[in-house]
């Protein structure tokens, strides 16, 4: 580590999965918003870095990388408006624990609490639940350091707000976010094993609406589904009391979605009620989430095509299963955020946790994308995918509006990078 310009510079940074090394000479860590403003104003190319959990080069730059991890942490609840305002480097795990302590909750969490709020929101990260929008849908306001170092604040209802939330880091550095909150609630989580694929597909709506959040884990092979994780708000029907679930029986030991990884690294199961903050994520904050030695891809598909898209993936099993650690099927509610893969439609998410063999994974992604294209599959912005801007643009009715917004806020392309050039701005 070396010092520089009132900020700290850390060198040789890799992403969480270790599959890419950022192109920047190092990572700057401003301690205050004015320091951040100076850094942004003085740089010709710059990107914000969250907690480095993306699997592709979305966060990368050959200019200056900025982490807000050392910004003075702030978590301020506004009980009258039922919102919380957090500083740009805050992680969900820290926020969730503090909200629970004060008697409040977020509507949902991703599979892991380790990620930064700003980074997760920028890529439309999501959990599961038929009625749950992705995590970006909780954003009620943003504070953004724009290309000239100025501060732009925007709230839900403002012009262009819906374009600024899922921003891929392309519009500036988000220095704080205001999120909707609700009173704290209790969740019971139960894992069922060895479900019957045919019964699940015949009753797909019944399966995904059986709890507040439902996840199915499969490797796509055979006629059984490995696991179903049901997270029920305990004021609603108690999944914990089901004797079976579409042919699956309750697990008798704590489970991890990936075979061979101890279930003790996962959140409490067996239907034991507990705080939302300790149940909505799959993985506990104090352990490495998922496996670590892995890659990920995910495709978000309009709900009306759920069963057909799942059947297409099952047909690809001979190609896909040998490369997989596990796959997860989740659901999300529609939203109005321009670059959200859930824009305008309820969705299912077909997620793939791959073995860490990037050339082999990159060889099958075009095949998967060709199979899922008829269903209007939109890739997760933070995971590995093949398609470029020409394939993505027709999937997003507000794509051109986002590019125009970026042109207005960042006329010199300070926040552009190779990922954005290929996936958003290319032809
Ligand atoms: C083990 C594991 C499990 C995962 N589980 C899920 C899951 O359940 N659901 C899901 O949807 N995704 C999941 N993901 C993907 C992950 O949520 C996304 O990649 C997310 O973007 C990671 O957030 P981050 O803070 O690490 O962002 P980074 O990867 O660091 O950055 C992502 C983007 O956010 C931008 N950004 C970050 N901070 C700011 C800021 N302050 N201002 C402006 N832009 C900013 C960056 O420029 C970049 O464009 C998982 C990833 C891993 C490694």
């Amino acid at each position: 580590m070396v010092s520089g310009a009132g900020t700290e510079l850390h060198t040789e940074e890799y992403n969480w999965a270790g599959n890419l090394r950022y192109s920047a000479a190092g990572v700057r860590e401003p301690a205050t918003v004015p320091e951040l403003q100076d850094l942004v104003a003085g740089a010709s190319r710059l990107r914000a870095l969250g907690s480095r959990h993306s699997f592709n080069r979305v966060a990368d730059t050959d200019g200056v990388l900025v982490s807000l991890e050392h910004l003075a942490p702030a978590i301020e609840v506004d009980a009258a408006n039922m919102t919380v305002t957090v500083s740009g480097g805050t992680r969900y795990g820290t926020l969730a624990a503090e909200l629970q302590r004060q008697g409040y909750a977020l509507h949902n969490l991703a599979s892991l609490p380790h990620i930064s709020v700003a980074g997760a929101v920028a890529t439309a990260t999501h959990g599961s639940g038929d009625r749950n929008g992705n995590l970006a849908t909780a954003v009620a306001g943003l504070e953004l350091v724009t290309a000239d170092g100025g501060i732009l604040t925007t709230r839900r209802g403002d012009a262009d707000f819906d374009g600024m939330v899922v921003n891929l880091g392309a519009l500036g550095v988000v220095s704080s976010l205001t999120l909707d909150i609700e009173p704290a609630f209790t969740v019971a989580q139960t894992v069922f094993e060895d479900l019957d694929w045919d019964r699940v597909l015949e009753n797909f709506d019944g399966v995904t609406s059986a709890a507040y959040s439902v996840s199915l884990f499969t490797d796509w092979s055979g006629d059984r589904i490995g696991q179903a994780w049901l997270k029920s708000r305990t004021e609603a029907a108690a999944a914990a009391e089901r004797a079976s679930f579409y042919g699956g029986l309750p697990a008798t030991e704590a489970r991890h979605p990936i075979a061979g990884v101890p279930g003790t690294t996962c959140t409490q199961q067996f239907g034991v009620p507990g705080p939302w903050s300790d149940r909505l994520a799959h993985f506990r904050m104090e352990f490495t989430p998922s496996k670590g030695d892995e890659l990920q891809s995910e495709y978000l598909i309009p709900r009306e095509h759920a069963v057909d898209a799942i059947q297409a993936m099952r047909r690809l099993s001979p190609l896909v299963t040998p490369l997989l650690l596990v796959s997860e099927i989740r659901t999300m509610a529609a939203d109005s955020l321009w670059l959200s893969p859930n824009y305008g439609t309820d969705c299912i998410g077909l997620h793939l946790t791959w073995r860490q063999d990037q050339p082999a994974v990159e060889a099958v992604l075009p095949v998967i994308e060709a199979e899922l294209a008829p269903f209007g599959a939109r890739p997760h912005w933070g995971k590995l995918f093949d398609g470029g801007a020409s394939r993505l643009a027709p999937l997003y009715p507000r794509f051109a509006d986002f590019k125009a917004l970026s042109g207005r806020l960042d006329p010199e392309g300070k926040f552009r990078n190779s990922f954005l050039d290929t996936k958003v701005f290319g032809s």
Side-chain angles (χ1 to χ4, degrees):
M1 189 184 83
V2 293
S3 299
T7 63
E8 289 180 345
L9 174 67
H10 292 263
T11 52
E12 295 211 354
E13 292 282 348
Y14 290 78
N15 67 337
W16 174 86
N19 67 308
L20 65 88
R21 182 178 172 176
Y22 298 111
S23 315
V27 181
R28 298 276 172 184
E29 297 186 329
T32 65
V33 172
E35 273 182 30
L36 169 63
Q37 291 178 269
D38 285 348
L39 258 181
V40 173
S44 55
R45 301 269 280 183
L46 179 143
R47 297 281 297 172
L49 189 60
S51 53
R52 301 179 292 116
H53 284 83
S54 293
F55 293 86
N56 59 35
R57 293 202 171 270
V58 65
D60 197 20
T61 180
D62 52 11
V64 177
L65 262 180
V66 179
S67 163
L68 304 190
E69 203 138 31
H70 289 175
L71 265 195
I75 298 178
E76 285 167 20
V77 169
D78 177 344
N81 289 308
M82 287 303 274
T83 58
V84 62
T85 298
V86 300
S87 52
T90 308
R91 294 182 188 232
Y92 277 101
T94 311
L95 172 60
E98 177 58 18
L99 284 177
Q100 168 63 22
R101 196 187 65 75
Q102 295 192 36
Y104 299 102
L106 299 170
H107 79 290
N108 211 356
L109 293 171
S111 70
L112 74 176
H114 310 65
I115 48 178
S116 80
V117 177
V121 162
T123 60
T125 287
H126 60 86
S128 191
D130 285 359
R131 298 201 183 153
N132 295 329
N134 64 44
L135 302 185
T137 62
V139 176
L142 285 178
E143 183 185 272
L144 195 67
V145 176
T146 50
D148 61 2
I151 300 254
L152 185 159
T153 56
T154 180
R155 318 206 134 269
R156 192 183 280 137
D158 289 352
D160 297 335
F161 175 82
D162 283 355
M164 291 192 196
V165 180
V166 179
N167 56 49
L168 309 181
L171 306 180
V173 181
V174 173
S175 43
S176 84
L177 304 98
T178 300
L179 307 176
D180 297 330
I181 54 174
E182 57 189 278
F185 54 89
T186 302
V187 172
Q189 170 167 256
T190 306
V191 175
F192 292 88
E193 296 185 286
D194 204 26
L195 286 72
D196 183 326
W197 258 124
D198 288 342
R199 286 182 62 192
V200 165
L201 293 182
E202 278 160 22
N203 301 281
F204 194 68
D205 290 346
V207 170
T208 64
S209 64
Y212 185 67
S213 162
V214 174
S215 291
L216 302 174
F217 290 97
T218 177
D219 70 1
W220 304 110
S221 69
D223 56 6
R224 313 294 293 182
I225 298 174
Q227 298 176 10
W229 289 39
L230 272 60
K231 301 175 195 275
S232 297
R233 288 175 71 140
T234 47
E235 73 266 21
E241 290 167 13
R242 291 170 196 273
S244 67
F245 190 60
Y246 297 95
L249 296 177
T252 52
E253 282 175 43
R255 291 295 179 212
H256 191 286
I258 299 172
V261 183
T264 45
T265 63
C266 293
T267 49
Q268 172 74 54
Q269 302 167 16
F270 309 116
V272 179
W276 66 278
S277 50
D278 293 345
R279 300 288 186 282
L280 288 181
H282 301 331
F283 307 115
R284 292 181 199 258
M285 186 76 171
E286 58 273 29
F287 294 101
T288 298
S290 194
K291 188 150 189 289
D293 188 12
E294 67 190 66
L295 300 169
Q296 295 186 10
S297 302
E298 187 168 24
Y299 298 96
L300 294 307
I301 291 160
R303 173 91 197 200
E304 68 206 88
H305 301 306
V307 172
D308 289 340
I310 288 170
Q311 294 290 36
M313 285 303 297
R314 292 179 76 195
R315 285 194 296 276
L316 288 177
S317 168
L319 189 69
V320 165
T321 305
L323 293 173
L324 274 184
L325 292 168
V326 77
S327 253
E328 180 174 11
I329 302 172
R330 287 176 279 188
T331 61
M332 296 119 244
D335 63 52
S336 58
L337 304 173
W338 300 355
L339 285 196
S340 163
N342 313 113
Y343 180 88
T345 176
D346 293 345
C347 285
I348 60 160
L350 303 182
H351 161 90
L352 305 117
T353 303
W354 304 106
R355 296 178 192 282
Q356 206 171 49
D357 181 348
Q358 194 149 343
V361 169
E362 286 177 350
V364 301
L365 292 179
V367 183
I368 296 173
E369 290 175 25
E371 284 298 311
L372 297 181
F375 311 120
R378 295 163 170 164
H380 191 302
W381 290 110
K383 304 183 182 180
L384 295 178
F385 63 96
D386 179 62
S390 61
R391 264 197 273 153
L392 297 178
L395 298 171
Y396 289 89
R398 306 297 302 269
F399 212 72
D401 293 326
F402 181 81
K403 291 202 283 186
L405 177 61
S406 152
R408 284 199 300 281
L409 290 179
D410 182 22
E412 285 166 16
K414 184 174 282 193
F415 303 117
R416 296 269 289 266
N417 64 7
S418 61
F419 177 93
L420 290 171
D421 289 345
T422 314
K423 307 291 190 188
V424 179
F425 294 96
S427 50

